[in-house]
Amino acid sequence: MMNILYFDWNEFNGADCRDAMEKLGHQIDIIRFDNSYYEMNTGNLTIFADKVIKKLEEGKYYDCVFSFDYVPALSDVCQVFEVPYISWVFDCPHYTLDSHTLSNPVNRVYVFDRILCETLRKKGYETVFHSTLAVNSQRLEKICQELDAESDGRIVYQHDVCFLGSLYDNEFNYYDRVKYLPPELKGYTDALIKAQESLFGTDLFSEPGIMPYEKIKKMREYIKFEDTGQYEIDYDNVILDFLRKKVTVNERRNILTEMGKKFDTVLYTPPGARPIENVCNLGFCDYMTKMPRVFRKSKINLNITLRSILSGIPLRVVDVLAAGGFLITNYQAEIAEYFIDGEELVIAYSPEDMIEKTAYYLEHDDERKVIARRGQEKVLRDFDYKILLEGILTI
C-alpha cells in the first residue's frame, strides 16, 4: 500500500485512475488546481508548488506525488523533498518534457509513444519509460451492460460511421496561420504535406533526405518563438509538429468528406469546427458518460491518429474498444504490435483502404460484431488501470 499525493488538474480521466488506485489499496490525498493544467503560467505554478510544499512540510509521509502529464514545478518540489514524482503523459506533443527538470532523479515519467520514449532516453533522460494508456474496465463494463439492458441485450445502433475527435481547423492549425513563407519553401512543404497524407505509419518529416535541415532552418527564419527560458524546447521539432498537425487537419477532413459521400457519417468534435458536407456534426461529447454510448452504438468508429504520435496507441483506440465499439484505425506500429488486425480491430494502410474497409464491414454485421467483442475482451483484460498502475507505481 502506498500513500499518494495526487495532483488533480481537472483532467478527464483522473477519476478513473484514482478509482483504480483505491481498488489497489492505496491511500490518496488529492491536491487540486482549479484551472486546466494548460492555463498554468509561471505564477500559478509557483502558487501550486507552495501548496505542495505546505502539504509535505506538514510532516505527512508520501510514497510519491502523481500527475497526468508532466509538471516541471512538481518535479522540482519533489526533488527538494526527495519524494518520487510519477507522471503519466497522455498528450503528444507535450512540450513540458523539454524542461531541464526531466533529468531530476526523483522522476519516473511514462509516455505512451515508444519512439518518443526512445528519443528522450537517447538524450540521456533515464527517468523516462514507456507505457500504454489505460481504461477503467469495471466502469465501462457496467455502462455496456446498462446500454444493452435498455434494448433487451441487443446493440441498437445510432450511427453507421462515427469519428470523435478534433479537426484542428481553428486557431490550433498553426501552419495555416503562417502567411509569409517564401513561395518556393511553401510549395515544398505543401507538396510534402500532400504526400504524407497518403502514407499511414510512416513519418516523412523525420527523414533528413526528404525534409532536410536546410528547409527547417529556413522555416525558423520566418516562424519565431518566444523563448521563456523555462524549457529547452527543440524548436526544429516544433516546426515539424506544425507540419504534422496540418497533415492531420487535411486527412481528417478529406477522409470524412469521402465518408460523408458514401455513408451515414457523424462527427463529434469541440465547437468551432468548419462544416463538412454530408457529415452531421453532433458537437462535444462527454468522456465519462456519453462517449462510451457513442462508441458502442456506432457500427464503425474511426481512429485517425494525430500525426505527432509517431508510433503509440492513442487513448481513443482503447476507449473505443473498451466500450465494445468496432474500430477501423490508421496503421500505427504499436497498434499492430498489441492488436491482431482483422480479429480485434481493423487496420487501414491508406485513406482509400479505410474507406473500402468501412464499406465492407458495414455489409458484414456478424464479422464486425465478433471483432468488436474480441477487441473489448483484449482491452478490458490487458489495458485496465489496475493492471498498468501496478507497474507504474513500482518505485
Side-chain angles (χ1 to χ4, degrees), residues 229-261:
Q230 289 181 278
Y231 306 112
E232 299 168 351
I233 293 177
D234 181 354
Y235 289 109
D236 291 344
N237 193 59
V238 174
I239 292 289
L240 299 183
D241 281 339
F242 280 10
L243 300 174
R244 291 170 179 135
K245 179 165 282 189
K246 176 57 178 174
V247 173
T248 307
V249 171
N250 287 358
E251 68 184 347
R252 288 185 177 184
R253 291 195 67 85
N254 292 342
I255 289 172
L256 288 173
T257 296
E258 293 304 311
M259 291 285 179
K261 292 176 182 177

Side-chain angles (χ1 to χ4, degrees), residues 21 33 40 51 56 64 70 85 102 109 132-133 144 148 172 180 191 208 214 227 258 279 302 310 314 323 367 387 393:
M21 288 176 172
F33 190 83
M40 294 178 72
K51 291 182 179 180
L56 297 174
C64 71
Y70 180 71
Y85 171 45
L102 192 62
V109 180
T132 57
L133 298 171
C144 291
D148 293 349
F172 298 109
Y180 36 80
E214 289 73 19
D227 190 351
E258 293 304 311
V279 176
L302 303 176
L310 299 182
E367 287 184 51
I387 293 171
L393 294 177

